Amino acid sequence: MVSHDAVSRIWVLAEAVAADLGLEVVEIERGGGGKRQMFRLFIDKPGGVDLTDCSRMSRELGGRMEEEGTVNSSHVLEVSSPGLERPLRKASDFRRFAGQRVTVRLRRRDDASGRQRFSGVLKDIESDVVIIETDDGGERSFPLGGIARARLEVDWDSVFKGKGPEGGPGKGDGGVSG
């Protein structure tokens, strides 16, 4: 059995390896069960990642996990891009993708509206407070710690019509990876 602590240890190792390779760790998911655990690691960099980045990360991290004895059971390590609708977790993610469309799901319903999910354009993050312009034209602020999940939102109609992801590249970014 793999504990939550194993995921935390893998995260620490993954961030160190990613920094050495010029990458960032976006998310780690644990799956599988019984005797075979699966760890799905999502990585990114400005301009997006390619197969070579994923292979290098998998090889380096897998070696470090073995050396450190991070996982005691049989496991599979899968490394990939977070995709166009990548999750936003850290304050730096929200800064990087300001100007892009996002979907935000709160941990608890919003007191003012009773809603838990909001979509709109990410304006900024100030002092760990995320600011979005909602689809109804209002502006909403949410503490980073109150957000259960946030993702970039792609206008797939525009993509399929050949217009590319809505909003273009994020701030300080060579484009949305995928």
Side-chain angles (χ1 to χ4, degrees):
M1 179 170 169
V2 175
S3 68
H4 183 68
D5 289 343
V7 174
S8 297
R9 289 192 307 268
I10 292 169
W11 191 282
V12 169
L13 287 175
E15 284 197 324
V17 171
D20 290 345
L21 299 176
L23 303 168
E24 93 173 280
V25 177
V26 173
E27 186 78 76
I28 297 177
E29 294 176 352
R30 184 181 68 180
K35 296 180 182 181
R36 194 142 178 103
Q37 295 292 313
M38 175 184 281
F39 298 96
R40 196 170 284 126
L41 177 74
F42 298 95
I43 59 172
D44 204 2
K45 70 179 181 185
V49 295
D50 58 23
L51 186 57
T52 302
D53 295 319
C54 293
S55 296
R56 287 177 55 211
M57 183 69 186
S58 179
R59 195 171 39 255
E60 294 290 324
L61 179 58
R64 289 253 187 105
M65 286 170 63
E66 246 178 68
E67 286 172 16
E68 304 270 332
T70 306
V71 179
N72 297 331
S73 64
S74 175
H75 69 277
V76 174
L77 176 63
E78 182 181 295
V79 179
S80 66
S81 160
L84 290 173
E85 292 186 329
R86 69 164 276 166
L88 306 175
R89 294 177 45 117
K90 303 173 269 192
S92 59
D93 295 338
F94 287 93
R95 267 187 222 94
R96 176 177 172 189
F97 292 103
Q100 298 272 345
R101 285 196 54 79
V102 296
T103 298
V104 174
R105 186 171 51 86
L106 304 177
R107 294 187 189 283
R108 295 190 177 107
R109 292 196 182 280
D110 178 61
D111 291 337
S113 67
R115 294 172 46 200
Q116 198 167 2
R117 184 179 297 263
F118 296 85
S119 291
V121 176
L122 175 60
K123 301 303 278 182
D124 201 358
I125 181 169
E126 298 172 359
S127 303
D128 287 341
V129 175
V130 176
I131 304 164
I132 68 168
E133 182 179 322
T134 59
D135 289 340
D136 62 10
E139 191 169 280
R140 300 301 309 254
S141 301
F142 310 106
L144 187 57
I147 296 174
R149 182 167 217 116
R151 294 190 165 280
L152 291 178
E153 186 178 291
V154 175
D155 178 355
W156 289 105
D157 288 338
S158 294
V159 171
F160 290 128
K161 291 176 184 171
K163 295 179 184 174
E166 184 177 359
K171 201 190 289 184
D173 174 49
V176 178
S177 66

